[in-house]
Structure formats: structure tokens, C-alpha cells
Amino acid sequence: MCKSKAVFTEEMDKTLLRRAFAVAEAAKTGGDHPFGCILVGPDGKVLMEQGNAYSAEGKDMTAHAERVLASRASKQWSPEFLEGCTMYTSAEPCAMCAGAVYWAGIGRVVYGQSEKSLKEQTGNHAQNPTLDLPCRTVFAAGQRDIKVIGPLLEQEAAALQEAFWDEH
């Protein structure tokens, strides 16, 4: 099993999480939902980025940034390698995305806005009927140990959603 080699301090986590926020902002600027994530390897280097792909994938309701990134990562690396990786994501992985993270074998998740906060902010929007089911609950039902840090920088993460859902 490949364990993390870098020491991920809170400051490093915040810096990398802000990079995921930048990916979310780019997705929003490109006409997609304002969510983004990055995958960071055991050495602390960014391996891939992924914005929400709802529009890019033909209005695919399952094209959440985290699910798409987990699928891409699973095709490229083994679960043993991914166990030492961290996904930084603008919002807490929903139940579907948490399942994808689990099945890919990604060993650590750092998120900005919680699902509960996102649900309160977006309401029952047809394009984002948020599940208030913590990713920790999904991960706890499995057999892999996935470390979760979040919410972190939650106000900054929530700012990505401001006005978006009222306009769409």
C-alpha cells in the first residue's frame, strides 16, 4: 500500500483547496455548475484537475467534478497508489461522489462547503437537488479507511455558489 509521503499541514491543505476553488470558478465561468476538485499525489504534486461537467457531458446529472475525477483517476492509477492521494474539492462529495471516491480507493478528502450548507444555500434546485448525507457516513459504511477534513474555508467555498442557482 502506498502511504502519503508529503506532510500535509493545514496551510498546505488550504492552499490546495483554494486551487480546487479556482477550478470551480473556471467551471462556472465556462458555463457549468460551480464545483471543482483536484487530485494530489502522495508527494504533494497536483496530478489532475476536474470541474463540474454537467453541461460538457450533455446535461449529465452524474457528471459531478468529484465523480468524474475519481473515474479518471481509477483508470490511470491503482487503488494502492490512490490510497496515498488526496482529493481537494470545493464542496463535500455527495453520496454518489463519495461512492466513486471509495471505489477508486482515494485515501483522503479535503472539502470546502458541507453538503448541509450547500443544501441550505441552493434549496431544491432542479439541477442540484442536494443530498444532505455526509461523506463520512458513506465512507464509514465501507471497508476502506478514508480520512476526511472539512468543512474548511467554508465561507470562501460558499461564495462560489452565490447568485449562481438563482440565475440558472
Side-chain angles (χ1 to χ4, degrees):
M1 302 258 172
C2 179
K3 296 293 180 182
S4 181
K5 297 174 189 165
V7 177
F8 290 88
T9 65
E10 184 174 346
E11 282 311 306
M12 185 176 181
D13 282 341
K14 287 179 179 179
T15 297
L16 290 163
L17 187 55
R18 285 185 173 116
R19 184 157 173 187
F21 293 171
V23 173
E25 187 62 43
K28 182 164 92 173
T29 300
D32 233 312
H33 296 169
F35 300 99
C37 60
I38 63 173
L39 183 68
V40 175
D43 59 0
K45 292 183 181 166
V46 176
L47 301 174
M48 61 177 51
E49 298 181 346
Q50 180 66 55
N52 182 280
Y54 169 76
S55 296
E57 295 288 327
K59 301 193 187 271
D60 181 354
M61 293 291 288
T62 69
H64 296 187
E66 302 87 352
R67 201 270 309 148
V68 174
L69 184 137
S71 293
R72 288 176 55 213
S74 181
K75 292 174 187 175
Q76 190 161 347
W77 295 287
S78 71
E80 291 77 22
F81 175 77
L82 290 171
E83 179 185 14
C85 294
T86 302
M87 176 187 282
Y88 289 87
T89 181
S90 59
E92 180 175 7
C94 71
M96 173 186 68
C97 293
V101 167
Y102 173 82
W103 284 105
I106 298 168
R108 187 168 176 263
V109 173
V110 178
Y111 68 86
Q113 188 175 21
S114 69
E115 276 285 279
K116 181 178 180 75
S117 169
L118 180 66
K119 183 179 179 186
E120 290 168 0
Q121 189 175 16
T122 64
N124 186 21
H125 194 284
Q127 292 179 22
N128 193 41
T130 305
L131 291 165
D132 184 4
L133 179 63
C135 67
R136 287 176 175 91
T137 302
V138 175
F139 296 147
Q143 299 177 59
R144 291 188 167 130
D145 182 28
I146 300 171
K147 183 173 182 173
V148 179
I149 297 171
L152 186 64
L153 305 173
E154 190 161 25
Q155 286 80 18
E156 286 181 47
L160 293 163
Q161 306 297 325
E162 287 178 8
F164 181 86
W165 300 102
D166 294 335
E167 298 167 4
H168 291 83

